[in-house]
């Protein structure tokens, strides 16, 4: 299928993009980034924007800057740019393990990280990583800007905190393995490599000098319309020894099967069983990486 008619606007600066969105007369103006989600939706006529604002020709917006173990990604930074950035990969095992699951190389070569946040697919690898890594999305409109934490960015199924006249201009987050005694991990289940996952899990574990837990974060996707997070309940695990029994108990915090999305791909019970196994795996892997770095601070980078 071919998409319905639309007006195409090529912009050469973020200012022009904001201006184009501000004068759009209806809700149907959309930013075109990598086009890897928007164009298929238009071809299937599931999306019918009347105007596309193409930001691909704006110079200097493909940046991926690592500074003091914090990274900022511009709106034209492609998944593949991250995958090939050794400074990012060495500082976050969870990103290293997640990004190769995003479609295939051709998709990663075009699709943007910021576009993934804007799209708000609850199964996207960046949705899980964003909540795990406390990402902050910066959005701008004519005459204003704001920063939104990933914890409130994802509102529901393909629904984010992005307003129709806003352009997402960057996403930033800390890289966990930049901190000492810390490890992270990501794992997912999908039917075929490159498919969207049925469920995914990601964790960050930080140990204290004695080898007990000083902080733990766990995020699981595929259960609800937004990524599920352990959130403040994590503080109850502080000071405890990182044993397999503890990871099983922690994974048991997942929502019950009746609260979990059930569809033609998998029942709530199946999704919970997958998520439970994935959660245990990433907690174990993250803790193992943290422990290796505790014993040898130069390890794991
Ligand atoms: C075959 C195939 C397999 C895929 N598999 C996966 C997968 O396994 N996991 C996964 O996560 N993704 C997958 N994708 C999607 C891919 O990751 C996309 O790159 C991503 O979802 C959106 O990025 P994009 O730059 O292509 O955005 P686009 O398609 O250009 O835009 C998507 C939406 O975000 C909005 N948008 C984009 N950028 C901005 C911005 N800067 N400001 C405001 N709004 C913006 C657009 O208006 C649109 O509504 C797959 C795609 C294909 C074609």
């Amino acid at each position: 299928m071919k998409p319905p008619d639309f007006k195409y606007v090529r912009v050469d600066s973020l200012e022009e993009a904001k201006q184009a969105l501000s004068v759009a007369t209806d809700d149907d103006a959309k930013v075109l980034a990598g086009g890897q989600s928007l164009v298929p939706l238009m071809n299937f006529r599931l999306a019918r924007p009347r105007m596309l604002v193409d930001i691909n020709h704006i110079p200097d917006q493909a940046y991926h800057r690592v500074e003091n173990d914090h990274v900022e990604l511009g709106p034209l930074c492609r998944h593949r740019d991250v995958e090939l950035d050794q400074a990012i990969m060495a500082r976050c095992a969870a990103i290293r393990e997640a990004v190769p699951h995003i479609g295939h190389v051709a998709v990663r070569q075009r699709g943007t990280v910021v576009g993934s946040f804007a799209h708000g697919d609850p199964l996207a690898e960046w949705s899980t990583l964003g909540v795990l890594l406390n990402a902050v999305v910066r959005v701008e409109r004519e005459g204003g800007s704001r920063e939104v934490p990933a914890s409130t960015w994802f509102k529901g199924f393909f629904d984010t905190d992005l307003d129709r006249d806003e352009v997402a201009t960057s996403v930033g987050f800390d890289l966990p393995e930049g901190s000492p005694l810390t490890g992270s991990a990501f794992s997912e289940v999908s039917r075929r490599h490159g498919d969207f996952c049925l469920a995914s899990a990601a964790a960050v574990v930080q140990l204290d000098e004695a080898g007990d837990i000083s902080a733990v974060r766990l995020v699981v996707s595929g259960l609800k319309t937004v990524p599920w997070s352990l959130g403040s309940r994590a503080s109850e695990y502080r000071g405890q020894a990182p044993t397999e029994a503890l990871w099983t108990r922690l994974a048991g915090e997942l929502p019950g099967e009746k609260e979990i999305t059930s569809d033609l791909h998998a029942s709530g019970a199946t999704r919970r069983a997958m998520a439970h196994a994935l959660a245990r795996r990433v907690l174990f892997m993250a803790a193992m990486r943290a422990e290796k770095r505790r014993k040898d601070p130069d390890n794991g980078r």
Side-chain angles (χ1 to χ4, degrees), residues 30-31 33-38 79 101-103 107 111-112 115 118 124-125 162 168 194 196:
K30 286 271 181 202
V31 169
Q36 297 300 298
S37 297
L38 184 56
H79 308 299
H101 288 287
I102 302 173
V107 171
T112 64
E125 283 75 9
L162 182 76
F196 279 93

mmCIF file with all atom_site columns, all heavy atoms in Angstrom, residues 30-31 33-38 79 101-103 107 111-112 115 118 124-125 162 168 194 196, ligand 1:
data_model
loop_
_atom_site.group_PDB
_atom_site.id
_atom_site.type_symbol
_atom_site.label_atom_id
_atom_site.label_alt_id
_atom_site.label_comp_id
_atom_site.label_asym_id
_atom_site.label_entity_id
_atom_site.label_seq_id
_atom_site.pdbx_PDB_ins_code
_atom_site.Cartn_x
_atom_site.Cartn_y
_atom_site.Cartn_z
_atom_site.occupancy
_atom_site.B_iso_or_equiv
_atom_site.pdbx_formal_charge
_atom_site.auth_seq_id
_atom_site.auth_comp_id
_atom_site.auth_asym_id
_atom_site.auth_atom_id
_atom_site.pdbx_PDB_model_num
ATOM   1   N N   . LYS A 1 30  ? 3.437  15.560  11.777 1.00 0.00 ? 30  LYS A N   1
ATOM   2   C CA  . LYS A 1 30  ? 4.346  14.615  12.443 1.00 0.00 ? 30  LYS A CA  1
ATOM   3   C C   . LYS A 1 30  ? 5.781  14.901  12.033 1.00 0.00 ? 30  LYS A C   1
ATOM   4   O O   . LYS A 1 30  ? 6.056  15.199  10.854 1.00 0.00 ? 30  LYS A O   1
ATOM   5   C CB  . LYS A 1 30  ? 4.027  13.174  11.990 1.00 0.00 ? 30  LYS A CB  1
ATOM   6   C CG  . LYS A 1 30  ? 2.754  12.623  12.590 1.00 0.00 ? 30  LYS A CG  1
ATOM   7   C CD  . LYS A 1 30  ? 3.057  11.959  13.899 1.00 0.00 ? 30  LYS A CD  1
ATOM   8   C CE  . LYS A 1 30  ? 1.841  11.363  14.551 1.00 0.00 ? 30  LYS A CE  1
ATOM   9   N NZ  . LYS A 1 30  ? 2.036  11.200  15.985 1.00 0.00 ? 30  LYS A NZ  1
ATOM   10  N N   . VAL A 1 31  ? 6.681  14.749  12.988 1.00 0.00 ? 31  VAL A N   1
ATOM   11  C CA  . VAL A 1 31  ? 8.109  14.798  12.678 1.00 0.00 ? 31  VAL A CA  1
ATOM   12  C C   . VAL A 1 31  ? 8.485  13.498  11.973 1.00 0.00 ? 31  VAL A C   1
ATOM   13  O O   . VAL A 1 31  ? 8.043  12.418  12.379 1.00 0.00 ? 31  VAL A O   1
ATOM   14  C CB  . VAL A 1 31  ? 8.928  14.951  13.986 1.00 0.00 ? 31  VAL A CB  1
ATOM   15  C CG1 . VAL A 1 31  ? 10.411 14.740  13.720 1.00 0.00 ? 31  VAL A CG1 1
ATOM   16  C CG2 . VAL A 1 31  ? 8.670  16.325  14.612 1.00 0.00 ? 31  VAL A CG2 1
ATOM   17  N N   . ALA A 1 33  ? 11.666 11.262  11.378 1.00 0.00 ? 33  ALA A N   1
ATOM   18  C CA  . ALA A 1 33  ? 13.083 11.040  11.735 1.00 0.00 ? 33  ALA A CA  1
ATOM   19  C C   . ALA A 1 33  ? 13.592 9.894   10.865 1.00 0.00 ? 33  ALA A C   1
ATOM   20  O O   . ALA A 1 33  ? 13.743 10.048  9.656  1.00 0.00 ? 33  ALA A O   1
ATOM   21  C CB  . ALA A 1 33  ? 13.211 10.775  13.226 1.00 0.00 ? 33  ALA A CB  1
ATOM   22  N N   . GLY A 1 34  ? 13.798 8.700   11.445 1.00 0.00 ? 34  GLY A N   1
ATOM   23  C CA  . GLY A 1 34  ? 14.282 7.572   10.639 1.00 0.00 ? 34  GLY A CA  1
ATOM   24  C C   . GLY A 1 34  ? 13.214 6.980   9.734  1.00 0.00 ? 34  GLY A C   1
ATOM   25  O O   . GLY A 1 34  ? 13.509 6.250   8.789  1.00 0.00 ? 34  GLY A O   1
ATOM   26  N N   . GLY A 1 35  ? 11.943 7.241   10.074 1.00 0.00 ? 35  GLY A N   1
ATOM   27  C CA  . GLY A 1 35  ? 10.823 6.730   9.273  1.00 0.00 ? 35  GLY A CA  1
ATOM   28  C C   . GLY A 1 35  ? 10.585 5.237   9.438  1.00 0.00 ? 35  GLY A C   1
ATOM   29  O O   . GLY A 1 35  ? 9.715  4.670   8.775  1.00 0.00 ? 35  GLY A O   1
ATOM   30  N N   . GLN A 1 36  ? 11.292 4.578   10.338 1.00 0.00 ? 36  GLN A N   1
ATOM   31  C CA  . GLN A 1 36  ? 11.207 3.115   10.449 1.00 0.00 ? 36  GLN A CA  1
ATOM   32  C C   . GLN A 1 36  ? 9.920  2.651   11.122 1.00 0.00 ? 36  GLN A C   1
ATOM   33  O O   . GLN A 1 36  ? 9.526  1.492   10.981 1.00 0.00 ? 36  GLN A O   1
ATOM   34  C CB  . GLN A 1 36  ? 12.423 2.565   11.198 1.00 0.00 ? 36  GLN A CB  1
ATOM   35  C CG  . GLN A 1 36  ? 13.723 2.814   10.491 1.00 0.00 ? 36  GLN A CG  1
ATOM   36  C CD  . GLN A 1 36  ? 13.750 2.165   9.119  1.00 0.00 ? 36  GLN A CD  1
ATOM   37  O OE1 . GLN A 1 36  ? 13.661 0.950   8.987  1.00 0.00 ? 36  GLN A OE1 1
ATOM   38  N NE2 . GLN A 1 36  ? 13.839 2.973   8.081  1.00 0.00 ? 36  GLN A NE2 1
ATOM   39  N N   . SER A 1 37  ? 9.276  3.533   11.845 1.00 0.00 ? 37  SER A N   1
ATOM   40  C CA  . SER A 1 37  ? 7.971  3.203   12.430 1.00 0.00 ? 37  SER A CA  1
ATOM   41  C C   . SER A 1 37  ? 6.861  3.969   11.727 1.00 0.00 ? 37  SER A C   1
ATOM   42  O O   . SER A 1 37  ? 5.812  3.411   11.417 1.00 0.00 ? 37  SER A O   1
ATOM   43  C CB  . SER A 1 37  ? 7.953  3.551   13.932 1.00 0.00 ? 37  SER A CB  1
ATOM   44  O OG  . SER A 1 37  ? 8.893  2.769   14.609 1.00 0.00 ? 37  SER A OG  1
ATOM   45  N N   . LEU A 1 38  ? 7.111  5.252   11.465 1.00 0.00 ? 38  LEU A N   1
ATOM   46  C CA  . LEU A 1 38  ? 6.060  6.106   10.895 1.00 0.00 ? 38  LEU A CA  1
ATOM   47  C C   . LEU A 1 38  ? 5.690  5.694   9.469  1.00 0.00 ? 38  LEU A C   1
ATOM   48  O O   . LEU A 1 38  ? 4.498  5.598   9.128  1.00 0.00 ? 38  LEU A O   1
ATOM   49  C CB  . LEU A 1 38  ? 6.543  7.566   10.929 1.00 0.00 ? 38  LEU A CB  1
ATOM   50  C CG  . LEU A 1 38  ? 5.557  8.628   10.454 1.00 0.00 ? 38  LEU A CG  1
ATOM   51  C CD1 . LEU A 1 38  ? 4.257  8.565   11.236 1.00 0.00 ? 38  LEU A CD1 1
ATOM   52  C CD2 . LEU A 1 38  ? 6.180  10.022  10.575 1.00 0.00 ? 38  LEU A CD2 1
ATOM   53  N N   . HIS A 1 79  ? 20.276 4.192   16.012 1.00 0.00 ? 79  HIS A N   1
ATOM   54  C CA  . HIS A 1 79  ? 20.582 3.054   16.895 1.00 0.00 ? 79  HIS A CA  1
ATOM   55  C C   . HIS A 1 79  ? 22.003 2.540   16.612 1.00 0.00 ? 79  HIS A C   1
ATOM   56  O O   . HIS A 1 79  ? 22.742 2.181   17.517 1.00 0.00 ? 79  HIS A O   1
ATOM   57  C CB  . HIS A 1 79  ? 19.600 1.906   16.670 1.00 0.00 ? 79  HIS A CB  1
ATOM   58  C CG  . HIS A 1 79  ? 18.158 2.291   16.747 1.00 0.00 ? 79  HIS A CG  1
ATOM   59  N ND1 . HIS A 1 79  ? 17.583 2.816   17.879 1.00 0.00 ? 79  HIS A ND1 1
ATOM   60  C CD2 . HIS A 1 79  ? 17.167 2.217   15.829 1.00 0.00 ? 79  HIS A CD2 1
ATOM   61  C CE1 . HIS A 1 79  ? 16.287 3.055   17.648 1.00 0.00 ? 79  HIS A CE1 1
ATOM   62  N NE2 . HIS A 1 79  ? 16.024 2.698   16.417 1.00 0.00 ? 79  HIS A NE2 1
ATOM   63  N N   . HIS A 1 101 ? 19.133 -6.224  19.416 1.00 0.00 ? 101 HIS A N   1
ATOM   64  C CA  . HIS A 1 101 ? 17.795 -6.814  19.232 1.00 0.00 ? 101 HIS A CA  1
ATOM   65  C C   . HIS A 1 101 ? 16.855 -5.900  18.453 1.00 0.00 ? 101 HIS A C   1
ATOM   66  O O   . HIS A 1 101 ? 15.741 -6.303  18.113 1.00 0.00 ? 101 HIS A O   1
ATOM   67  C CB  . HIS A 1 101 ? 17.144 -7.100  20.593 1.00 0.00 ? 101 HIS A CB  1
ATOM   68  C CG  . HIS A 1 101 ? 17.755 -8.247  21.328 1.00 0.00 ? 101 HIS A CG  1
ATOM   69  N ND1 . HIS A 1 101 ? 17.563 -9.562  20.955 1.00 0.00 ? 101 HIS A ND1 1
ATOM   70  C CD2 . HIS A 1 101 ? 18.547 -8.285  22.427 1.00 0.00 ? 101 HIS A CD2 1
ATOM   71  C CE1 . HIS A 1 101 ? 18.208 -10.356 21.788 1.00 0.00 ? 101 HIS A CE1 1
ATOM   72  N NE2 . HIS A 1 101 ? 18.821 -9.600  22.685 1.00 0.00 ? 101 HIS A NE2 1
ATOM   73  N N   . ILE A 1 102 ? 17.257 -4.648  18.203 1.00 0.00 ? 102 ILE A N   1
ATOM   74  C CA  . ILE A 1 102 ? 16.355 -3.710  17.505 1.00 0.00 ? 102 ILE A CA  1
ATOM   75  C C   . ILE A 1 102 ? 16.374 -4.022  16.014 1.00 0.00 ? 102 ILE A C   1
ATOM   76  O O   . ILE A 1 102 ? 17.325 -3.682  15.295 1.00 0.00 ? 102 ILE A O   1
ATOM   77  C CB  . ILE A 1 102 ? 16.769 -2.242  17.757 1.00 0.00 ? 102 ILE A CB  1
ATOM   78  C CG1 . ILE A 1 102 ? 16.775 -1.939  19.259 1.00 0.00 ? 102 ILE A CG1 1
ATOM   79  C CG2 . ILE A 1 102 ? 15.832 -1.292  17.012 1.00 0.00 ? 102 ILE A CG2 1
ATOM   80  C CD1 . ILE A 1 102 ? 17.324 -0.562  19.611 1.00 0.00 ? 102 ILE A CD1 1
ATOM   81  N N   . GLY A 1 103 ? 15.331 -4.694  15.551 1.00 0.00 ? 103 GLY A N   1
ATOM   82  C CA  . GLY A 1 103 ? 15.209 -5.042  14.133 1.00 0.00 ? 103 GLY A CA  1
ATOM   83  C C   . GLY A 1 103 ? 16.478 -5.701  13.609 1.00 0.00 ? 103 GLY A C   1
ATOM   84  O O   . GLY A 1 103 ? 17.016 -6.618  14.212 1.00 0.00 ? 103 GLY A O   1
ATOM   85  N N   . VAL A 1 107 ? 17.601 -1.536  9.727  1.00 0.00 ? 107 VAL A N   1
ATOM   86  C CA  . VAL A 1 107 ? 16.651 -0.749  10.529 1.00 0.00 ? 107 VAL A CA  1
ATOM   87  C C   . VAL A 1 107 ? 17.421 0.145   11.502 1.00 0.00 ? 107 VAL A C   1
ATOM   88  O O   . VAL A 1 107 ? 17.114 1.337   11.664 1.00 0.00 ? 107 VAL A O   1
ATOM   89  C CB  . VAL A 1 107 ? 15.706 -1.702  11.309 1.00 0.00 ? 107 VAL A CB  1
ATOM   90  C CG1 . VAL A 1 107 ? 14.867 -0.929  12.324 1.00 0.00 ? 107 VAL A CG1 1
ATOM   91  C CG2 . VAL A 1 107 ? 14.808 -2.465  10.345 1.00 0.00 ? 107 VAL A CG2 1
ATOM   92  N N   . GLY A 1 111 ? 16.810 4.105   11.903 1.00 0.00 ? 111 GLY A N   1
ATOM   93  C CA  . GLY A 1 111 ? 15.968 4.461   13.052 1.00 0.00 ? 111 GLY A CA  1
ATOM   94  C C   . GLY A 1 111 ? 16.752 5.233   14.106 1.00 0.00 ? 111 GLY A C   1
ATOM   95  O O   . GLY A 1 111 ? 17.928 4.972   14.324 1.00 0.00 ? 111 GLY A O   1
ATOM   96  N N   . THR A 1 112 ? 16.093 6.199   14.732 1.00 0.00 ? 112 THR A N   1
ATOM   97  C CA  . THR A 1 112 ? 16.766 7.033   15.735 1.00 0.00 ? 112 THR A CA  1
ATOM   98  C C   . THR A 1 112 ? 16.338 6.643   17.144 1.00 0.00 ? 112 THR A C   1
ATOM   99  O O   . THR A 1 112 ? 15.215 6.166   17.361 1.00 0.00 ? 112 THR A O   1
ATOM   100 C CB  . THR A 1 112 ? 16.423 8.518   15.511 1.00 0.00 ? 112 THR A CB  1
ATOM   101 O OG1 . THR A 1 112 ? 15.013 8.698   15.710 1.00 0.00 ? 112 THR A OG1 1
ATOM   102 C CG2 . THR A 1 112 ? 16.810 8.992   14.114 1.00 0.00 ? 112 THR A CG2 1
ATOM   103 N N   . GLY A 1 115 ? 13.657 9.058   18.229 1.00 0.00 ? 115 GLY A N   1
ATOM   104 C CA  . GLY A 1 115 ? 12.415 8.671   17.558 1.00 0.00 ? 115 GLY A CA  1
ATOM   105 C C   . GLY A 1 115 ? 11.738 7.509   18.270 1.00 0.00 ? 115 GLY A C   1
ATOM   106 O O   . GLY A 1 115 ? 10.506 7.448   18.354 1.00 0.00 ? 115 GLY A O   1
ATOM   107 N N   . ALA A 1 118 ? 9.990  8.966   21.135 1.00 0.00 ? 118 ALA A N   1
ATOM   108 C CA  . ALA A 1 118 ? 8.805  9.722   20.688 1.00 0.00 ? 118 ALA A CA  1
ATOM   109 C C   . ALA A 1 118 ? 7.668  8.784   20.280 1.00 0.00 ? 118 ALA A C   1
ATOM   110 O O   . ALA A 1 118 ? 6.503  9.059   20.522 1.00 0.00 ? 118 ALA A O   1
ATOM   111 C CB  . ALA A 1 118 ? 9.181  10.634  19.521 1.00 0.00 ? 118 ALA A CB  1
ATOM   112 N N   . ALA A 1 124 ? 9.537  -1.544  22.832 1.00 0.00 ? 124 ALA A N   1
ATOM   113 C CA  . ALA A 1 124 ? 10.820 -1.105  22.259 1.00 0.00 ? 124 ALA A CA  1
ATOM   114 C C   . ALA A 1 124 ? 11.929 -1.251  23.295 1.00 0.00 ? 124 ALA A C   1
ATOM   115 O O   . ALA A 1 124 ? 11.734 -0.960  24.490 1.00 0.00 ? 124 ALA A O   1
ATOM   116 C CB  . ALA A 1 124 ? 10.720 0.342   21.797 1.00 0.00 ? 124 ALA A CB  1
ATOM   117 N N   . GLU A 1 125 ? 13.080 -1.667  22.839 1.00 0.00 ? 125 GLU A N   1
ATOM   118 C CA  . GLU A 1 125 ? 14.226 -1.830  23.739 1.00 0.00 ? 125 GLU A CA  1
ATOM   119 C C   . GLU A 1 125 ? 14.551 -0.516  24.445 1.00 0.00 ? 125 GLU A C   1
ATOM   120 O O   . GLU A 1 125 ? 14.875 -0.497  25.633 1.00 0.00 ? 125 GLU A O   1
ATOM   121 C CB  . GLU A 1 125 ? 15.453 -2.322  22.959 1.00 0.00 ? 125 GLU A CB  1
ATOM   122 C CG  . GLU A 1 125 ? 15.434 -3.802  22.596 1.00 0.00 ? 125 GLU A CG  1
ATOM   123 C CD  . GLU A 1 125 ? 14.479 -4.144  21.456 1.00 0.00 ? 125 GLU A CD  1
ATOM   124 O OE1 . GLU A 1 125 ? 13.934 -3.228  20.811 1.00 0.00 ? 125 GLU A OE1 1
ATOM   125 O OE2 . GLU A 1 125 ? 14.283 -5.355  21.224 1.00 0.00 ? 125 GLU A OE2 1
ATOM   126 N N   . LEU A 1 162 ? 4.647  13.775  24.747 1.00 0.00 ? 162 LEU A N   1
ATOM   127 C CA  . LEU A 1 162 ? 5.008  14.721  23.669 1.00 0.00 ? 162 LEU A CA  1
ATOM   128 C C   . LEU A 1 162 ? 3.747  15.420  23.157 1.00 0.00 ? 162 LEU A C   1
ATOM   129 O O   . LEU A 1 162 ? 2.788  14.751  22.772 1.00 0.00 ? 162 LEU A O   1
ATOM   130 C CB  . LEU A 1 162 ? 5.669  13.941  22.526 1.00 0.00 ? 162 LEU A CB  1
ATOM   131 C CG  . LEU A 1 162 ? 6.169  14.725  21.331 1.00 0.00 ? 162 LEU A CG  1
ATOM   132 C CD1 . LEU A 1 162 ? 7.482  15.446  21.676 1.00 0.00 ? 162 LEU A CD1 1
ATOM   133 C CD2 . LEU A 1 162 ? 6.413  13.781  20.150 1.00 0.00 ? 162 LEU A CD2 1
ATOM   134 N N   . ALA A 1 168 ? 11.138 16.468  19.948 1.00 0.00 ? 168 ALA A N   1
ATOM   135 C CA  . ALA A 1 168 ? 12.063 15.925  20.962 1.00 0.00 ? 168 ALA A CA  1
ATOM   136 C C   . ALA A 1 168 ? 13.481 16.205  20.465 1.00 0.00 ? 168 ALA A C   1
ATOM   137 O O   . ALA A 1 168 ? 13.837 15.793  19.355 1.00 0.00 ? 168 ALA A O   1
ATOM   138 C CB  . ALA A 1 168 ? 11.812 14.435  21.146 1.00 0.00 ? 168 ALA A CB  1
ATOM   139 N N   . GLY A 1 194 ? 15.089 -10.042 15.699 1.00 0.00 ? 194 GLY A N   1
ATOM   140 C CA  . GLY A 1 194 ? 14.668 -8.842  14.962 1.00 0.00 ? 194 GLY A CA  1
ATOM   141 C C   . GLY A 1 194 ? 13.203 -8.503  15.154 1.00 0.00 ? 194 GLY A C   1
ATOM   142 O O   . GLY A 1 194 ? 12.780 -7.391  14.864 1.00 0.00 ? 194 GLY A O   1
ATOM   143 N N   . PHE A 1 196 ? 9.842  -7.619  17.395 1.00 0.00 ? 196 PHE A N   1
ATOM   144 C CA  . PHE A 1 196 ? 9.619  -7.009  18.701 1.00 0.00 ? 196 PHE A CA  1
ATOM   145 C C   . PHE A 1 196 ? 9.505  -8.126  19.730 1.00 0.00 ? 196 PHE A C   1
ATOM   146 O O   . PHE A 1 196 ? 9.031  -9.223  19.418 1.00 0.00 ? 196 PHE A O   1
ATOM   147 C CB  . PHE A 1 196 ? 8.352  -6.151  18.680 1.00 0.00 ? 196 PHE A CB  1
ATOM   148 C CG  . PHE A 1 196 ? 8.580  -4.796  18.082 1.00 0.00 ? 196 PHE A CG  1
ATOM   149 C CD1 . PHE A 1 196 ? 8.359  -4.566  16.737 1.00 0.00 ? 196 PHE A CD1 1
ATOM   150 C CD2 . PHE A 1 196 ? 9.040  -3.748  18.871 1.00 0.00 ? 196 PHE A CD2 1
ATOM   151 C CE1 . PHE A 1 196 ? 8.586  -3.317  16.182 1.00 0.00 ? 196 PHE A CE1 1
ATOM   152 C CE2 . PHE A 1 196 ? 9.273  -2.500  18.318 1.00 0.00 ? 196 PHE A CE2 1
ATOM   153 C CZ  . PHE A 1 196 ? 9.051  -2.275  16.980 1.00 0.00 ? 196 PHE A CZ  1
HETATM 154 C C1  . LIG B 2 .   ? 11.417 -4.342  10.207 1.00 0.00 ? 1   LIG B C1  1
HETATM 155 C C2  . LIG B 2 .   ? 11.490 -3.472  11.447 1.00 0.00 ? 1   LIG B C2  1
HETATM 156 C C3  . LIG B 2 .   ? 11.789 -4.050  12.649 1.00 0.00 ? 1   LIG B C3  1
HETATM 157 C C4  . LIG B 2 .   ? 11.858 -3.266  13.807 1.00 0.00 ? 1   LIG B C4  1
HETATM 158 N N1  . LIG B 2 .   ? 12.157 -3.878  14.985 1.00 0.00 ? 1   LIG B N1  1
HETATM 159 C C5  . LIG B 2 .   ? 12.246 -3.111  16.106 1.00 0.00 ? 1   LIG B C5  1
HETATM 160 C C6  . LIG B 2 .   ? 12.591 -3.713  17.350 1.00 0.00 ? 1   LIG B C6  1
HETATM 161 O O1  . LIG B 2 .   ? 12.801 -4.928  17.454 1.00 0.00 ? 1   LIG B O1  1
HETATM 162 N N2  . LIG B 2 .   ? 12.658 -2.901  18.436 1.00 0.00 ? 1   LIG B N2  1
HETATM 163 C C7  . LIG B 2 .   ? 12.425 -1.541  18.360 1.00 0.00 ? 1   LIG B C7  1
HETATM 164 O O2  . LIG B 2 .   ? 12.522 -0.843  19.369 1.00 0.00 ? 1   LIG B O2  1
HETATM 165 N N3  . LIG B 2 .   ? 12.109 -0.942  17.196 1.00 0.00 ? 1   LIG B N3  1
HETATM 166 C C8  . LIG B 2 .   ? 12.007 -1.697  16.079 1.00 0.00 ? 1   LIG B C8  1
HETATM 167 N N4  . LIG B 2 .   ? 11.680 -1.081  14.893 1.00 0.00 ? 1   LIG B N4  1
HETATM 168 C C9  . LIG B 2 .   ? 11.381 0.380   14.897 1.00 0.00 ? 1   LIG B C9  1
HETATM 169 C C10 . LIG B 2 .   ? 12.660 1.225   14.916 1.00 0.00 ? 1   LIG B C10 1
HETATM 170 O O3  . LIG B 2 .   ? 13.350 1.060   16.110 1.00 0.00 ? 1   LIG B O3  1
HETATM 171 C C11 . LIG B 2 .   ? 12.393 2.724   14.810 1.00 0.00 ? 1   LIG B C11 1
HETATM 172 O O4  . LIG B 2 .   ? 13.660 3.237   14.529 1.00 0.00 ? 1   LIG B O4  1
HETATM 173 C C12 . LIG B 2 .   ? 11.911 3.517   16.013 1.00 0.00 ? 1   LIG B C12 1
HETATM 174 O O5  . LIG B 2 .   ? 10.771 2.945   16.559 1.00 0.00 ? 1   LIG B O5  1
HETATM 175 C C13 . LIG B 2 .   ? 11.483 4.947   15.652 1.00 0.00 ? 1   LIG B C13 1
HETATM 176 O O6  . LIG B 2 .   ? 12.551 5.678   15.205 1.00 0.00 ? 1   LIG B O6  1
HETATM 177 P P1  . LIG B 2 .   ? 12.510 6.457   13.811 1.00 0.00 ? 1   LIG B P1  1
HETATM 178 O O7  . LIG B 2 .   ? 13.642 7.412   13.875 1.00 0.00 ? 1   LIG B O7  1
HETATM 179 O O8  . LIG B 2 .   ? 12.481 5.514   12.685 1.00 0.00 ? 1   LIG B O8  1
HETATM 180 O O9  . LIG B 2 .   ? 11.133 7.300   13.922 1.00 0.00 ? 1   LIG B O9  1
HETATM 181 P P2  . LIG B 2 .   ? 10.027 7.627   12.846 1.00 0.00 ? 1   LIG B P2  1
HETATM 182 O O10 . LIG B 2 .   ? 9.476  6.388   12.245 1.00 0.00 ? 1   LIG B O10 1
HETATM 183 O O11 . LIG B 2 .   ? 10.511 8.679   11.905 1.00 0.00 ? 1   LIG B O11 1
HETATM 184 O O12 . LIG B 2 .   ? 8.926  8.292   13.807 1.00 0.00 ? 1   LIG B O12 1
HETATM 185 C C14 . LIG B 2 .   ? 8.210  7.511   14.741 1.00 0.00 ? 1   LIG B C14 1
HETATM 186 C C15 . LIG B 2 .   ? 7.282  8.441   15.539 1.00 0.00 ? 1   LIG B C15 1
HETATM 187 O O13 . LIG B 2 .   ? 8.055  9.284   16.397 1.00 0.00 ? 1   LIG B O13 1
HETATM 188 C C16 . LIG B 2 .   ? 7.883  10.664  16.034 1.00 0.00 ? 1   LIG B C16 1
HETATM 189 N N5  . LIG B 2 .   ? 9.194  11.297  16.125 1.00 0.00 ? 1   LIG B N5  1
HETATM 190 C C17 . LIG B 2 .   ? 10.388 10.797  15.692 1.00 0.00 ? 1   LIG B C17 1
HETATM 191 N N6  . LIG B 2 .   ? 11.381 11.619  16.017 1.00 0.00 ? 1   LIG B N6  1
HETATM 192 C C18 . LIG B 2 .   ? 10.825 12.669  16.655 1.00 0.00 ? 1   LIG B C18 1
HETATM 193 C C19 . LIG B 2 .   ? 11.349 13.847  17.255 1.00 0.00 ? 1   LIG B C19 1
HETATM 194 N N7  . LIG B 2 .   ? 12.664 14.103  17.270 1.00 0.00 ? 1   LIG B N7  1
HETATM 195 N N8  . LIG B 2 .   ? 10.488 14.707  17.852 1.00 0.00 ? 1   LIG B N8  1
HETATM 196 C C20 . LIG B 2 .   ? 9.152  14.459  17.859 1.00 0.00 ? 1   LIG B C20 1
HETATM 197 N N9  . LIG B 2 .   ? 8.602  13.349  17.317 1.00 0.00 ? 1   LIG B N9  1
HETATM 198 C C21 . LIG B 2 .   ? 9.428  12.467  16.726 1.00 0.00 ? 1   LIG B C21 1
HETATM 199 C C22 . LIG B 2 .   ? 7.309  10.654  14.631 1.00 0.00 ? 1   LIG B C22 1
HETATM 200 O O14 . LIG B 2 .   ? 6.541  11.808  14.376 1.00 0.00 ? 1   LIG B O14 1
HETATM 201 C C23 . LIG B 2 .   ? 6.462  9.389   14.666 1.00 0.00 ? 1   LIG B C23 1
HETATM 202 O O15 . LIG B 2 .   ? 5.234  9.640   15.310 1.00 0.00 ? 1   LIG B O15 1
HETATM 203 C C24 . LIG B 2 .   ? 11.606 -1.849  13.726 1.00 0.00 ? 1   LIG B C24 1
HETATM 204 C C25 . LIG B 2 .   ? 11.317 -1.261  12.495 1.00 0.00 ? 1   LIG B C25 1
HETATM 205 C C26 . LIG B 2 .   ? 11.245 -2.057  11.365 1.00 0.00 ? 1   LIG B C26 1
HETATM 206 C C27 . LIG B 2 .   ? 10.927 -1.394  10.040 1.00 0.00 ? 1   LIG B C27 1
#
